[in-house]
Amino acid sequence: MYKLPKSEIEEIQRKRLRQIVKYLYENSSFYRNKLRGIDIDEIRSKEDLRKIPFTTKDDIRDNYPFGLICVDFSKIVRFHASSGTTGNPTVVAYTIQDIENWSELCKRCLEIVDVNSNDVVQIAYGYGLFTGGLGFHYGAERLGAKVIPASTGNTKRQIKLMKDLGTTVICCTPSYGLYLAEVAKEEGINPKRDLKLKAGIFGAEPWSENTRRKLEENFVENAYDIYGMSELNGPGVAMECKFKNGLHIWEDHYIVEIIDPNTGEVLEPEEKGEMVVTTLTKEAMPLLRYRTRDITILNDDPCDCGLNHARIMRILGRTDDMLKIRGVCVFPSQIEEIIMKTNGLSPHYQLVADREGVMDKLIVRVEVAEDFKTDRLTDLVNIQNKLEEELKDALGINAVIELVEPKKIPRSEGKAQRIVDLRKIRGLL
Ligand SMILES: [Zn+2]
C-alpha cells in the first residue's frame, strides 16, 4: 500500500494538502487566523506551502490545552503530552482515526526492517503520557507480533524477560540499549550469544554511527533509528530501512521542508537545517508547517530498498540542545561520534558548559572503558590529549577533558541527560 511510485506519492500529497488546508480553515479558529489574507485555493503544492506562516511549539502551549483541536470534543479518544521544563506541557489530542493512522505508520516502520508476526517485541519505552510506549505497542500488535509491554525501568527484569520470553526485537532509547547491554554482562549474560535480539529500534534521542556500532557489537544484530514526536502522532514518523542510510519519512502522511532556523528560508535538498513538518492526515490536531526544532538534511534520492519515500538523515540535534561555546554551535551527537572513535573510552559521557569571566568553557566528562586496564598515568594522559585534539580538529573548540572511572556518569532509563549548562543555571545566558 505504501510501496508506491514517487509520482503517486506526490499526487496523494497534493490532494491531501488541499484537503487539510480547507479542513483547518473551516474547523480551526487558530488556523483561520493564521491563514488570513491567503487564498487557500492557491495552496496546491509543497511550494505553495511557503505562503503559510510557521506553527511553533509556543503556539501549542499558548493555546493550551484545547485551542488547536479541530473536532467536536466527543470525538477525542486520547491525550498525550510532552513535558516542558517550564510552563504548560505540549498536549496532543487524538481521534479514533488518528490512532488508526498512527498504528499503521508504526506497523510500517517495523515491517520495513522485517519484523513479523513471529517476533517477540519488547517495548522498553515509557507507557503513559509519553507516546513511545503506546505507539510501538499498537504498531507491533497490528503486525501480529507478540508484544511485551515492559515499559521503562527495572533493568534486571527487562533482561530476564528478554531471556525467558525469547525477545527478538527491543525498542528503547539508544542510551538505555547500551545500559541494558552493560547490566546483562554484569548478570553473566552475553547478549549476542545468549539472547535472540535480531533488531533494536532506537529513538527519542539523537545518536551516532559509532553508537550503532557499539549496539551491534554488544547487544543486537541490527540497530535501527526511528523518528517521531507527539505533535506529529508519536514514534513512526520516519524510520530507517535495512540499508541504514537515512530514515524514510512517510510522505503520504507528512510533508517535510528544511529551513534555515534563523531566517526561516526554505533550504535546498542536502542542506542542513531545521525540519518543518505539515501533517496531511491528522484529524484532531493537524499542524501546518510545524517547526520541530530538529536539525537534519533531506535526501530525495532513490533508496536501494525500493521505497520512494524521501529520507531524512540522522537527527544531528535539536535547536534547543545546541550548545553555543564561544560562538560555535555544538551538538552532543557530534561529540559522541568523536568519543566513540577514541580507544579506551566508554560511550557514557556528559557535557558541562560553564563560563569563567567572559569566556565559555566546555568540560567533556567521559568514562574510561571498563576493559581498559592500565597502571600508567601516561596512558590516560595520551587518551585525554587525543580526544582534546580530535575535538579541536573536528569542531574547532577547545574542551577540557575529564576522564572518570567506569559507571561514574549517571545512567538514565529514558533519555540520557547529556548536557549540564551551568551558564543557564547561574543565569548567565
Ligand atoms: Zn530504504
Side-chain angles (χ1 to χ4, degrees):
M1 171 55 196
Y2 53 92
K3 292 166 186 161
L4 299 167
K6 192 83 196 164
S7 59
E8 269 182 58
I9 295 174
E10 284 168 353
E11 186 48 46
I12 293 173
Q13 276 195 326
R14 281 192 291 272
K15 186 174 136 223
R16 289 185 170 166
L17 176 63
R18 283 195 301 273
Q19 285 169 348
I20 202 75
V21 171
K22 188 163 178 282
Y23 173 83
L24 282 166
Y25 190 81
E26 285 167 0
N27 296 289
S28 160
S29 55
F30 170 81
Y31 274 110
R32 206 155 35 243
N33 211 7
K34 243 193 199 329
L35 294 165
R36 187 172 293 156
I38 298 167
D39 180 357
I40 60 161
D41 292 328
E42 274 186 17
I43 310 295
R44 296 191 200 103
S45 69
K46 195 170 167 175
E47 288 67 38
D48 298 330
L49 258 180
R50 298 178 190 185
K51 295 172 189 159
I52 300 175
F54 297 116
T55 305
T56 63
K57 210 179 190 65
D58 286 340
D59 285 326
I60 300 182
R61 290 212 186 106
D62 293 347
N63 290 281
Y64 175 86
F66 303 136
L68 288 181
I69 293 179
C70 299
V71 293
D72 190 82
F73 203 67
S74 64
K75 286 191 76 182
I76 303 289
V77 297
R78 187 162 342 144
F79 293 109
H80 279 285
S82 51
S83 54
T85 38
T86 50
N88 292 328
T90 308
V91 170
V92 184
Y94 300 74
T95 63
I96 289 269
Q97 188 57 47
D98 290 333
I99 302 278
E100 169 80 17
N101 288 338
W102 179 23
S103 310
E104 173 59 28
L105 295 184
C106 285
K107 172 179 167 257
R108 283 185 194 180
C109 291
L110 295 165
E111 217 164 39
I112 62 168
V113 294
D114 284 349
V115 180
N116 59 48
S117 58
N118 292 316
D119 281 302
V120 179
V121 181
Q122 185 162 332
I123 299 166
Y125 283 109
Y127 278 67
L129 283 173
F130 174 59
T131 47
L134 285 164
F136 275 104
H137 185 106
Y138 276 53
E141 268 190 0
R142 204 181 171 95
L143 198 59
K146 284 145 269 296
V147 178
I148 308 175
S151 196
T152 50
N154 209 335
T155 305
K156 286 183 184 167
R157 191 186 61 186
Q158 300 267 7
I159 292 158
K160 186 171 167 49
L161 287 169
M162 281 182 218
K163 190 157 188 283
D164 295 351
L165 303 185
T167 302
T168 55
V169 180
I170 175 84
C171 307
C172 63
T173 59
S175 56
Y176 193 48
L178 290 169
Y179 183 54
L180 281 164
E182 197 176 87
V183 176
K185 277 192 187 139
E186 285 168 10
E187 299 287 295
I189 292 169
N190 173 349
K192 289 297 292 275
R193 190 192 59 209
D194 305 329
L195 302 178
K196 297 182 187 150
L197 297 169
K198 70 171 194 186
I201 299 175
F202 301 105
E205 59 189 27
W207 51 299
S208 66
E209 275 312 303
N210 284 305
T211 301
R212 175 172 358 246
R213 197 169 48 75
K214 294 249 159 159
L215 285 164
E216 292 184 346
E217 272 171 19
N218 300 302
F219 192 41
V220 297
E221 207 53 43
N222 288 289
Y224 298 107
D225 196 1
I226 188 164
Y227 175 81
M229 60 168 57
S230 54
E231 298 94 306
L232 307 175
N233 278 330
V237 174
M239 169 80 191
E240 274 183 337
C241 64
K242 286 187 283 179
F243 290 86
K244 300 176 187 166
N245 185 20
L247 294 82
H248 289 283
I249 180 139
W250 302 117
E251 291 189 288
D252 49 341
H253 290 261
Y254 304 99
I255 292 181
V256 174
E257 300 167 279
I258 304 290
I259 63 159
D260 178 325
N262 298 314
T263 64
E265 183 201 344
V266 177
L267 301 174
E268 295 299 315
E270 305 299 326
E271 282 189 280
K272 184 171 71 183
E274 180 182 347
M275 175 160 61
V276 169
V277 181
T278 294
T279 68
L280 296 174
T281 50
K282 278 176 54 141
E283 203 175 43
M285 246 177 94
L287 295 168
L288 296 178
R289 304 198 85 202
Y290 184 63
R291 290 188 66 157
T292 62
R293 303 187 189 184
D294 285 324
I295 305 287
T296 184
I297 295 167
L298 187 65
N299 175 0
D300 209 2
D301 297 341
C303 179
D304 292 336
C305 74
L307 280 176
N308 291 305
H309 297 264
R311 284 167 288 166
I312 51 169
M313 292 298 115
R314 273 181 179 292
I315 303 295
L316 248 168
R318 309 203 75 171
T319 51
D320 35 0
D321 279 345
M322 193 169 72
L323 263 178
K324 233 180 175 173
I325 301 291
R326 278 170 247 149
V328 180
C329 297
V330 181
F331 292 102
S333 60
Q334 293 175 297
I335 295 184
E336 179 175 317
E337 190 90 44
I338 296 167
I339 289 175
M340 297 222 177
K341 274 197 302 211
T342 313
N343 279 335
L345 295 178
S346 88
H348 302 283
Y349 68 96
Q350 203 161 46
L351 309 176
V352 183
D354 200 359
R355 191 168 285 172
E356 274 179 359
V358 291
M359 285 291 272
D360 288 332
K361 182 177 163 190
L362 177 67
I363 301 165
V364 177
R365 194 171 285 157
V366 50
E367 283 179 13
V368 174
E370 225 164 323
D371 54 9
F372 181 80
K373 298 266 185 290
T374 183
D375 43 20
R376 292 184 347 163
L377 192 61
T378 46
D379 291 342
L380 294 170
V381 173
N382 285 343
I383 297 180
Q384 217 163 359
N385 289 345
K386 183 156 191 304
L387 185 56
E388 204 176 294
E389 267 167 46
E390 296 272 336
L391 287 171
K392 175 87 187 144
D393 278 357
L395 306 173
I397 48 163
N398 289 307
V400 178
I401 314 294
E402 274 183 23
L403 298 183
V404 298
E405 285 169 44
K407 306 212 167 69
K408 283 284 185 241
I409 308 266
R411 302 292 192 261
S412 156
E413 286 170 341
K415 296 189 195 191
Q417 202 204 346
R418 299 297 194 197
I419 299 178
V420 179
D421 199 337
L422 295 173
R423 300 170 304 177
K424 262 187 204 158
I425 297 164
R426 292 166 56 201
L428 299 171
L429 285 185

